[in-house]
Amino acid sequence: MKKDMTSDMTVGSPVKLIIWFMIPMFLGNVFQQFYNIADSIVAGQFIGVDALAAIGSTGSLMFFVTGWLNGMSSGFAIIVSQMFGAKKYDDMRHYVAMSVYLMFGITAVMTVGLLVFNEPILRLMNSPEELMGDVKAYMGIIYAGLIVTAAYNALAAFLRALGDSKSPLYFLIISAAINVVLDVVFIRFLGMGVEGCAYATVIAQAVSAVCCMVYIIKKYPILHLEKKNFALRKGSFAKLLNLGIPMALQFSITAIGTIIVQGAVNVYGAVYMAGFSAAGKIQNIITMVAVSIGATIATYVGQNRGAGRMDRVQAGVKYSWIMLLIWAAIEMVVMYFGGKYFTYLFIDPSETAVVNVSVTYFRTVFWAYPFLCTIFLFRNALQGMGYGLVPMLGGIFELVARTAIVLLVAGKASFAGICMADPAAWIAALIPLIPYYYYVMKKYKKQTVATFSSID
């Protein structure tokens, strides 16, 4: 086998492995977020508040759509990482092939359905009539390009499952740069409006998907598929879907909660939509450290679970939690005092009403960042061990909490009351996650003791 960039996470220092794997993951996640953020920055600076509101209001909807694809591909990749950790390479390639079948079919169905129901979905979100044309056009183009989004997510997930978090980062940097250039060209020089942002996003994602494919073909013989790998086996689809669907639902259920909150914010008008959008995108960037550690833990736990090294699983989770709590403390200080200045990236400082909305959000939710960071750790640890149901249940708890807050305060309280939906959701999500993680680890510990006792 030719030399490749796979990384065996079943040996070596857990802390060192997690940090070195996490750094490219973090940068990659930032650049992946950059697609929609770049659209918002260019639209806000060159077109105005209404354009920022139109594109920004799609953030929760895009999270719903791309979250489903990301969750599905991440679930499939966990099985790939377990096979890699167990050194079962033929089985690993088989599951990669089956994942290709499933991702193509699921994406085709989603594309058709979302294009058909584009406007009804936007009306359910209370999108203002004056912004409906722009929002509908933007999302229609995004939906038409979902196949390239799915392709990149799946290919990058397979690379990360084998311990390579650097290569997807390089491709994202290239495509993010292309996205920015095309945004400026399409909007500033060709006058295409928000549609130009959408075309730039789809083209840039297509570039990253093609780069991943070419790189795998040239550098990863371990992932080269043969005709026999595509032969159907009894139970293969079921095994993939048993983990992929709960992870996709977990992403989507969380997104539904954010869509409900977005719908409540939309009632306040374009200024609040723009400020809330800017705050959400800034928060998404600063929480990428937690997201990246969580994604790292999924791969780390998956490989070590496949190798039967549950002691390393426990150590990795413990050290990651310490790192996450330290980061959460930094987030709290930075966002409370600096949130206003980050908002200037999206809108001119003279738009004080928009800036004040963003500041209100940050000063309402900053105290809950330790809970948000903790979600990513325990959710991904359980998923890495192959447990998809309870992480999905955590998403349901989030949805219930967000919905309850919106129903209680919408139209009866200030904008800050709507903002409280996020802290309530983050705390609620942990109710099933933390107890179940410790239950699972206790069960494995008992099994280990029983095994050694029987040997004695």
Side-chain angles (χ1 to χ4, degrees), residues 82-112:
Q82 290 177 350
M83 294 299 104
F84 178 74
K87 308 296 190 292
K88 297 179 179 179
Y89 300 128
D90 281 337
D91 287 339
M92 180 194 73
R93 284 185 284 270
H94 169 73
Y95 283 113
V96 169
M98 296 303 100
S99 299
V100 171
Y101 281 142
L102 290 172
M103 288 299 291
F104 182 82
I106 291 166
T107 305
V109 172
M110 286 179 63
T111 300
V112 174

Side-chain angles (χ1 to χ4, degrees), residues 428-450:
L430 293 174
I431 294 174
L433 292 177
I434 294 179
Y436 194 73
Y437 168 79
Y438 282 104
Y439 164 76
V440 168
M441 296 308 296
K442 186 176 180 181
K443 181 178 70 173
Y444 279 119
K445 188 174 182 179
K446 286 182 178 179
Q447 290 175 350
T448 302
V449 171

Side-chain angles (χ1 to χ4, degrees), residues 55-78:
I55 293 178
S57 67
T58 66
S60 57
L61 184 55
M62 287 188 67
F63 178 43
F64 173 80
V65 175
T66 59
W68 179 273
L69 296 175
N70 188 33
M72 191 70 69
S73 60
S74 296
F76 297 163
I78 283 173

Side-chain angles (χ1 to χ4, degrees), residues 353-364:
V354 175
V355 175
N356 288 338
V357 170
S358 181
V359 171
T360 298
Y361 176 81
F362 289 128
R363 295 193 174 179
T364 303

Side-chain angles (χ1 to χ4, degrees), residues 292-428:
S292 303
I293 289 179
T296 298
I297 279 294
T299 298
Y300 173 88
V301 169
Q303 288 194 17
N304 282 283
R305 170 68 183 89
R309 296 297 309 274
M310 296 307 294
D311 56 321
R312 289 178 58 81
V313 169
Q314 188 172 23
V317 170
K318 180 180 74 173
Y319 295 132
S320 295
W321 200 2
I322 293 170
M323 289 187 285
L324 281 170
L325 292 178
I326 293 171
W327 177 249
I330 295 171
E331 282 183 314
M332 291 167 66
V333 174
V334 170
M335 299 319 296
Y336 186 88
F337 294 104
K340 176 175 70 173
Y341 304 103
F342 289 121
T343 307
Y344 294 163
L345 289 170
F346 296 88
I347 200 72
D348 190 274
S350 64
E351 298 284 354
T352 56
V354 175
V355 175
N356 288 338
V357 170
S358 181
V359 171
T360 298
Y361 176 81
F362 289 128
R363 295 193 174 179
T364 303
V365 309
F366 79 100
W367 58 272
Y369 285 145
F371 300 104
L372 176 60
C373 290
T374 301
I375 289 173
F376 295 113
L377 175 65
F378 288 99
R379 176 183 287 163
N380 283 278
L382 288 170
Q383 290 168 341
M385 285 186 279
Y387 298 99
L389 184 60
V390 172
M392 183 184 72
L393 185 61
I396 293 174
F397 274 58
E398 282 189 63
L399 174 60
V400 171
R402 279 197 173 95
T403 304
I405 294 295
V406 169
L407 291 176
L408 285 172
V409 306
K412 306 171 188 176
S414 66
F415 171 71
I418 297 292
C419 296
M420 280 300 299
D422 278 346
W426 301 337
I427 295 170

Side-chain angles (χ1 to χ4, degrees), residues 24-166:
M25 282 287 294
F26 164 71
L27 295 173
N29 283 327
V30 168
F31 278 103
Q32 193 160 32
Q33 285 284 328
F34 197 71
Y35 289 120
N36 191 249
I37 290 174
D39 291 349
S40 297
I41 291 174
V42 174
Q45 295 290 346
F46 291 124
I47 304 177
V49 172
D50 283 353
L52 173 59
I55 293 178
S57 67
T58 66
S60 57
L61 184 55
M62 287 188 67
F63 178 43
F64 173 80
V65 175
T66 59
W68 179 273
L69 296 175
N70 188 33
M72 191 70 69
S73 60
S74 296
F76 297 163
I78 283 173
I79 297 176
V80 173
S81 73
Q82 290 177 350
M83 294 299 104
F84 178 74
K87 308 296 190 292
K88 297 179 179 179
Y89 300 128
D90 281 337
D91 287 339
M92 180 194 73
R93 284 185 284 270
H94 169 73
Y95 283 113
V96 169
M98 296 303 100
S99 299
V100 171
Y101 281 142
L102 290 172
M103 288 299 291
F104 182 82
I106 291 166
T107 305
V109 172
M110 286 179 63
T111 300
V112 174
L114 289 167
L115 285 172
V116 170
F117 293 103
N118 188 3
E119 185 171 338
I121 291 171
L122 295 174
R123 294 198 179 280
L124 283 174
M125 293 178 63
N126 298 318
S127 291
E129 198 63 42
E130 64 270 20
L131 301 179
M132 179 62 72
D134 282 345
V135 178
K136 181 180 176 182
Y138 181 85
M139 290 308 301
I141 297 166
I142 296 297
Y143 293 151
L146 280 182
I147 189 65
V148 296
T149 304
Y152 171 76
N153 281 340
L155 293 169
F158 296 147
L159 288 173
R160 288 192 289 266
L162 272 59
D164 181 3
S165 60
K166 294 180 181 178

